[in-house]
Amino acid sequence: MGKPLIIVGSVTYAIKGRNILARMGIRSYVERVPGGNCQTCLYVPEHTDEAEDILLRYGVRVTGRTERGGTL
Amino acid sequence: MIYLDNAATTYPKPEPVRRAVAAALQQYGANPGRAGHDMSMAAAEEIYRCRTAAAEFFRAPGPECVAFTLNCTHALNYVLKGLLKPGDHAVTSCLEHNAVARPLYALSKGGVEVTEARVFPGDNDATVDSFRRAIRPNTRLIVCTHASNVWGIRLPVERIAALGHEYRIPIAVDCAQSAGVLPVDMADSGIDYLCIAGHKGLYGPMGTGLLITAQGGGLATLVEGGTGTNSAEPEQPLSMPDRMESGTQNMPGIAGLRAGIEFVRSHGADRIFRHEIGLVQELYRRLAAMKSIRLYTEEPDPRYFAPVLSFNVGDLPSEEVGRKLNGYGIAVRAGLHCAPAAHRFCGTLRQGAVRICPSVFTRREEIGRLVQVLSAIG
């Protein structure tokens, strides 16, 4: 299984999301999405579903999920 | 040099601002957020820190509401031309800078109607009533200055925002002269679009400005281009801040702006205001005692004025006075200050005026020297 990635609207939202998750004790990393469409994502190694819920609750624009090697 | 032209841009910039610009050139040399490599991401983080600092300083809903612009004029153009369409009506004030007046004039050629509401210095009830009477069924926007860049006259923008919201009309505020000096609280005031100069009261470098809004997605764009996001899509992103930030950002400027905001925060905007308005009040009293000096407003009351004061020396052309002061090593701004409406308001459209604006660095002795030189000139 690949690394779970949460795709967000922009690098601004990615950094905002990472900071929110850090406050909740969830580790995440700002990365570029594999592929050629210039998207930014958060690599969230653990609690990915919970992290996505938190991001949505805090108004972070989540535009999708993927993992390295394929779309979920 | 005694620099009293801080309403145009503040000088000197604080040491932390100069250091931040230099550090950015060295440490954040990559295009912010455009690539995944470490330096690009570090630059993006620095820009995000500035967004956060600005959002907290002006109590915006979040850092994503902060878009960087070239200056306040740029931000105002984004709002005015992004919102107003033929058949719409806009209400503005009689004290506007050309940053508002000229875009509105251009829009009026295309069918946008504009009404100027009269401002009553020292009488906020009358000013708000004037705005109320200007509203029409097709009013789409209220846009006004927070403080006149010529006379320092403050507008009760919080009350005007509340008035606009009664009629479901958004308000854009030109905070060029007020940001960093007067309280600007987006959460409390309900202001919809804050347009801000980064290089004046926030002590950032020139070439920095801010548009702060939670409603950027509703603005048509004036500039489209690369944002580093969703590049395969032909349409400009809808969401802030990308919608308003095409092309490479002014990374060193933005790093300097963050340092400027932190400088103002650490000194306290209220303390800076008290210092500057105190100097302006003292200058006013001393000028009022000089026969040759013409003043055009009441003594600046902190409730109704920002720390800007303009005057004339008898019938001397204002530019001539500016030139003479320059000969004594005193830097001021003379002429119309890009605000003919404000000069029309006080009857100085022909002569212009000499404008004085202190900064946090201005000392009492410097004001004393100005008065001394004016005595010699007058």
Side-chain angles (χ1 to χ4, degrees):
Chain A
M1 197 170 136
K3 289 179 175 180
L5 307 174
I6 301 173
I7 306 171
V8 293
S10 65
V11 70
T12 304
Y13 279 109
I15 298 171
K16 178 176 181 168
R18 181 202 60 195
N19 294 352
I20 290 167
L21 293 178
R23 286 204 302 272
M24 308 287 179
I26 298 176
R27 271 184 310 124
S28 66
Y29 305 89
V30 177
E31 295 182 5
R32 297 289 277 184
V33 177
N37 195 23
C38 300
Q39 291 176 300
T40 310
C41 64
L42 286 171
Y43 163 44
V44 188
E46 295 172 84
H47 313 294
T48 314
D49 292 339
E50 188 188 347
E52 185 175 343
D53 288 343
I54 291 168
L55 294 175
L56 289 168
R57 233 176 22 244
Y58 278 81
V60 173
R61 286 190 64 246
V62 173
T63 59
R65 282 276 288 271
T66 189
E67 63 180 23
R68 294 209 187 282
T71 303
L72 283 177
Chain B
M1 177 180 61
I2 295 175
Y3 185 82
L4 297 171
D5 193 16
N6 292 286
T9 195
T10 45
Y11 178 86
K13 301 303 181 193
E15 176 59 28
V17 171
R18 300 200 296 267
R19 274 204 310 269
V21 172
L25 286 167
Q26 198 160 32
Q27 294 168 25
Y28 306 123
N31 207 320
R34 294 294 201 262
H37 61 75
D38 286 353
M39 192 156 69
S40 177
M41 294 312 292
E45 296 274 358
E46 175 61 12
I47 285 193
Y48 185 82
R49 284 191 284 273
C50 187
R51 286 192 213 283
T52 304
E56 288 174 359
F57 190 81
F58 295 107
R59 295 235 295 144
E64 68 278 8
C65 300
V66 176
F68 295 107
T69 60
L70 296 173
N71 46 50
C72 191
T73 298
H74 192 194
L76 282 160
N77 269 267
Y78 272 164
V79 177
L80 297 175
K81 292 175 181 168
L83 204 60
L84 294 169
K85 305 284 179 295
D88 288 342
H89 174 248
V91 177
T92 189
S93 89
C94 61
L95 294 175
E96 297 305 314
H97 187 279
N98 276 342
V100 169
R102 281 183 171 169
L104 286 179
Y105 179 77
L107 286 163
S108 75
K109 297 289 181 191
V112 172
E113 298 174 297
V114 180
T115 302
E116 254 187 28
R118 185 178 166 79
V119 175
F120 295 85
D123 187 347
N124 287 344
D125 290 344
T127 298
V128 172
D129 190 48
S130 173
F131 275 81
R132 184 194 315 279
R133 281 185 280 109
I135 290 172
R136 298 181 192 167
N138 62 332
T139 302
R140 182 82 172 88
L141 179 70
I142 297 172
V143 53
C144 65
T145 185
H146 193 183
S148 164
N149 69 310
V150 182
W151 310 114
I153 297 165
R154 285 168 70 166
L155 271 71
V157 290
E158 296 84 0
R159 290 183 60 185
I160 295 169
L163 167 73
H165 291 168
E166 285 292 316
Y167 294 88
R168 296 176 177 270
I169 301 166
I171 178 171
V173 179
D174 172 358
C175 295
Q177 227 55 61
S178 61
V181 182
L182 302 178
V184 182
D185 187 320
M186 226 172 162
D188 280 354
S189 67
I191 293 169
D192 300 278
Y193 304 97
L194 279 186
C195 301
I196 292 165
H199 61 104
K200 298 186 181 187
L202 295 177
Y203 292 89
M206 283 181 272
T208 58
L210 299 166
L211 168 59
I212 308 183
T213 180
Q215 299 161 41
L219 294 174
T221 50
L222 296 188
V223 180
E224 299 87 21
T227 57
T229 49
N230 294 318
S231 298
E233 303 300 324
E235 282 183 34
Q236 186 74 0
L238 268 174
S239 64
M240 283 281 281
D242 295 28
R243 187 163 182 75
M244 297 296 156
E245 291 183 350
S246 293
T248 300
Q249 292 290 84
N250 175 7
M251 174 73 234
I254 291 168
L257 176 57
R258 177 169 82 90
I261 292 170
E262 285 171 2
F263 171 84
V264 172
R265 176 177 273 176
S266 67
H267 279 68
D270 53 339
R271 272 179 60 207
I272 293 173
F273 174 70
R274 282 199 303 274
H275 168 71
E276 293 180 4
I277 199 77
L279 292 174
V280 165
Q281 285 175 316
E282 179 179 339
L283 175 63
Y284 185 98
R285 287 176 204 131
R286 295 181 70 176
L287 294 182
M290 293 165 62
K291 278 189 180 164
S292 61
I293 301 293
R294 290 181 186 164
L295 293 162
Y296 299 91
T297 62
E298 297 296 313
E299 180 175 327
D301 178 329
R303 290 174 300 171
Y304 302 116
F305 283 85
V308 177
L309 181 64
S310 294
F311 61 89
N312 273 306
V313 181
D315 288 326
L316 282 177
S318 59
E319 295 282 7
E320 178 65 9
V321 176
R323 192 186 64 77
K324 288 185 177 192
L325 288 171
N326 185 53
Y328 285 92
I330 300 174
V332 300
R333 171 88 179 267
L336 295 182
H337 313 96
C338 300
H343 281 278
R344 196 175 298 117
F345 182 72
C346 283
T348 52
L349 206 48
R350 287 189 60 180
Q351 192 177 7
V354 179
R355 182 181 69 185
I356 302 298
C357 180
S359 81
V360 69
F361 298 114
T362 306
R363 290 173 290 116
R364 210 166 157 240
E365 306 85 84
E366 293 177 316
I367 297 296
R369 173 67 180 152
L370 169 69
V371 172
Q372 189 184 37
V373 170
L374 285 170
S375 302
I377 291 174

